[in-house]
Amino acid sequence: MAYPFELGFQDATSPIMEELLHFHDHTLMIVFLISSLVLYIISLMLTTKLTHTSTMDAQEVETIWTILPAIILILIALPSLRILYMMDEINDPSLTVKTMGHQWYWSYEYTDYEDLNFDSYMVPTSDLNPGELRLLEVDNRVVLPMELPVRMLISSEDVLHSWAVPSLGLKTDAIPGRLNQATLTSTRPGLYYGQCSEICGSNHSFMPIVLELVPLKHFENWSSSML
């Protein structure tokens, strides 16, 4: 999860988020190089006598500054499209969970089980136990198996919401009358926090999401106890 004064992304927990971090670093390096080049040219023009004014009319210069930006855009677009296709691809999910947004809480339904569903409300500050996080803790966590593909079906029953868990690289809109889907795979166990990322009313800030990723054996024990 995030920590105070954090400047970068949260630590990646899924392969998709790792790819997004690599793409971010790749793009940021390109932006840094372009910015450095522009700053160098500006400083050079301000401090150097323009003895070669005819250079600006040269065909070679115009060719270079037309082709070079196109190459840079291709270097950014290709990995971006690759990650977009990876995020949309769902290969035989082991579990499907339906998520419904409400004002202002989430409800979850494990569709592979006959009667496994619950609502997830934020725990009020006055009811928090020592070590629990204010505005992020919920009364019912979403327990999922780690290292297995999980399909999330996301919708809403009233207004627009957005189901987002940054460390897993997930952010999917919950739209009334429409069923969106996302896939997640966690590489390690732990608690992962998120929040509604679409302004949905007065209590928009009080719709946290908590995923508890556990080994498959622990998930089976939990699901048996819930039924």
Side-chain angles (χ1 to χ4, degrees), residues 6-24:
E6 183 178 5
L7 297 179
F9 290 102
Q10 298 182 24
D11 292 338
T13 309
S14 67
I16 292 295
M17 190 57 190
E18 290 178 2
E19 292 288 339
L20 289 172
L21 287 178
H22 293 155
F23 176 69
H24 169 266

Side-chain angles (χ1 to χ4, degrees), residues 40-56:
Y40 171 73
I41 293 174
I42 291 175
S43 61
L44 204 64
M45 293 179 66
L46 293 175
T47 57
T48 306
K49 292 182 179 179
L50 299 177
T51 55
H52 299 286
T53 54
S54 61
T55 305
M56 302 304 294

Side-chain angles (χ1 to χ4, degrees), residues 15-208:
I16 292 295
M17 190 57 190
E18 290 178 2
E19 292 288 339
L20 289 172
L21 287 178
H22 293 155
F23 176 69
H24 169 266
D25 296 341
H26 166 75
T27 308
L28 197 63
M29 184 56 65
I30 293 176
V31 172
F32 174 75
L33 292 174
I34 293 174
S35 303
S36 300
L37 178 61
V38 171
L39 182 62
Y40 171 73
I41 293 174
I42 291 175
S43 61
L44 204 64
M45 293 179 66
L46 293 175
T47 57
T48 306
K49 292 182 179 179
L50 299 177
T51 55
H52 299 286
T53 54
S54 61
T55 305
M56 302 304 294
D57 298 325
Q59 188 70 32
E60 294 81 3
V61 175
E62 293 184 4
T63 303
I64 291 173
W65 70 35
T66 301
I67 295 178
L68 193 59
I71 295 174
I72 293 173
L73 289 176
I74 291 172
L75 291 176
I76 295 175
L78 290 180
S80 175
L81 290 172
R82 172 176 168 269
I83 296 175
L84 281 174
Y85 278 103
M86 289 175 61
M87 293 174 69
D88 282 340
E89 190 170 347
I90 297 180
N91 292 323
D92 192 21
S94 302
L95 181 70
T96 300
V97 180
K98 184 180 178 181
T99 305
M100 297 294 292
H102 306 265
Q103 289 182 312
W104 287 270
Y105 64 95
W106 297 99
S107 61
Y108 299 94
E109 178 184 349
Y110 290 71
T111 59
D112 298 287
Y113 295 84
E114 186 173 347
D115 190 21
L116 180 52
N117 54 77
F118 53 83
D119 296 330
S120 181
Y121 290 85
M122 186 194 75
V123 177
T125 304
S126 57
D127 297 337
L128 289 174
N129 296 319
E132 293 183 339
L133 302 170
R134 178 178 173 271
L135 300 183
L136 286 177
E137 198 58 60
V138 296
D139 55 355
N140 290 309
R141 295 171 176 171
V142 183
V143 181
L144 298 172
M146 57 175 285
E147 296 180 337
L148 290 176
V150 178
R151 176 172 57 189
M152 303 298 299
L153 300 177
I154 301 162
S155 187
S156 172
E157 285 199 356
D158 36 50
V159 299
L160 291 176
H161 300 280
S162 185
W163 199 80
V165 183
S167 57
L168 290 168
L170 290 174
K171 186 178 186 296
T172 304
D173 288 340
I175 303 172
R178 178 172 178 174
L179 202 60
N180 291 329
Q181 71 174 4
T183 181
L184 66 92
T185 304
S186 174
T187 55
R188 60 178 184 268
L191 289 177
Y192 304 104
Y193 294 88
Q195 290 177 300
C196 177
S197 296
E198 187 77 40
I199 296 177
C200 55
S202 59
N203 288 337
H204 159 68
S205 303
F206 310 116
M207 289 183 64

